[in-house]
Amino acid sequence: EAGVAQSPRYKIIEKRQSVAFWCNPISGHATLYWYQQILGQGPKLLIQFQNNGVVDDSQLPKDRFSAERLKGVDSTLKIQPAKLEDSAVYLCASSLWVPGPLVRTGENSPLHFGNGTRLTVT
Amino acid sequence: GESVGLHLPTLSVQEGDNSIINCAYSNSASDYFIWYKQESGKGPQFIIDIRSNMDKRQGQRVTVLLNKTVKHLSLQIAATQPGDSAVYFCAEIWFRGNYGQNFVFGPGTRLSVLP
């Protein structure tokens, strides 16, 4: 199966500029996640979608970050205006939606990650 | 040996030796746990998972141990190879009602395999 596709692979911008990242999840995966991975740290969840609805955006800096998944497939993440501390790798991941009872009986669905977009803000 | 650097803890092992990577998790209600491997320039890749009602699971050259009493997870890699050099993350996963699963990642450990 084709994996999670992300673009661009690299982006360098100056602070206060804007930038957008694109993600195409694995076909049939209802759940899509955007993670921020700062150098030397584990991925941190920014936003989680189920189909085209937001499940969790509690850690998304909403004054500058926005994300959408209008048709429940592709997603874009935007930063406007960027700050120096936004320099990181932005990872998109997808998974099958698994109802609670199936999770508890073993039907686990791990995250499948794209290769990320490395953002450098100067 | 194991050391704590400025960012990631690093584990250095000789090729052919066994590696043990440790992880502490926070949520006692987590439903299952996953180990991911991340190579430079790539996204994390699934290695092995374990459900919360198990304490051990084996894969090809890898074993995951779960100790719920102390909320500790470990990944054992047998006969470590140069291709195992990467950063390893544990993730704890819990169910969000009708809204899928929540994945929370640990800080990671860099495994360096010495020739």
Side-chain angles (χ1 to χ4, degrees):
Chain A
E1 66 180 3
V4 176
Q6 288 189 249
S7 67
R9 286 285 281 134
Y10 305 93
K11 191 73 177 178
I12 301 174
I13 61 172
E14 295 181 350
K15 59 184 179 183
R16 292 187 290 274
Q17 287 187 323
S18 62
V19 64
F21 313 124
W22 173 82
C23 173
N24 186 357
I26 292 174
S27 178
H29 281 195
T31 312
L32 185 147
Y33 307 76
W34 283 102
Y35 282 86
Q36 180 192 58
Q37 186 175 26
I38 292 172
L39 183 65
Q41 299 181 18
K44 184 187 86 170
L45 180 69
L46 290 175
I47 189 167
Q48 178 182 346
F49 292 94
Q50 184 174 316
N51 295 309
N52 61 351
V54 175
V55 172
D56 183 356
D57 63 357
S58 59
Q59 298 188 81
L60 187 74
K62 298 180 187 65
D63 58 334
R64 298 183 302 105
F65 285 64
S66 64
E68 59 184 15
R69 194 184 183 200
L70 293 176
K71 297 182 179 179
V73 180
D74 293 5
S75 177
T76 55
L77 175 70
K78 297 179 182 177
I79 308 175
Q80 181 180 12
K83 293 185 176 181
L84 294 177
E85 60 260 35
D86 298 332
S87 294
V89 174
Y90 290 84
L91 294 164
C92 179
S94 68
S95 72
L96 288 170
W97 177 74
V98 180
L102 288 180
V103 169
R104 300 191 190 287
T105 57
E107 294 294 324
N108 303 328
S109 177
L111 285 179
H112 298 263
F113 283 90
N115 285 329
T117 296
R118 180 176 296 277
L119 174 67
T120 302
V121 183
T122 63
Chain B
E2 185 170 322
S3 62
V4 177
L6 287 177
H7 298 289
L8 282 173
T10 299
L11 176 65
S12 298
V13 298
Q14 292 292 137
E15 181 178 354
D17 287 353
N18 296 334
S19 304
I20 300 176
I21 301 171
N22 297 302
C23 176
Y25 65 92
S26 59
N27 186 355
S28 57
S30 291
D31 292 293
Y32 69 109
F33 305 86
I34 300 178
W35 279 101
Y36 283 89
K37 173 186 180 182
Q38 187 174 28
E39 296 173 290
S40 181
K42 295 185 178 180
Q45 295 174 284
F46 173 90
I47 301 174
I48 190 168
D49 63 355
I50 186 168
R51 290 163 49 197
S52 59
N53 62 353
M54 302 170 67
D55 53 23
K56 181 178 181 179
R57 190 168 186 212
Q58 288 186 291
Q60 187 176 12
R61 280 203 308 122
V62 294
T63 300
V64 56
L65 299 178
L66 175 63
N67 185 333
K68 291 183 290 295
T69 302
V70 294
K71 293 194 283 188
H72 182 268
L73 199 65
S74 69
L75 177 70
Q76 300 177 2
I77 304 174
T80 311
Q81 302 169 0
D84 296 327
S85 292
V87 177
Y88 290 81
F89 294 98
C90 67
E92 52 182 316
I93 299 94
W94 63 86
F95 173 61
R96 283 180 180 274
N98 289 325
Y99 301 107
Q101 304 157 90
N102 186 28
F103 293 76
V104 176
F105 287 81
T109 297
R110 182 180 302 281
L111 176 65
S112 178
V113 181
L114 308 173

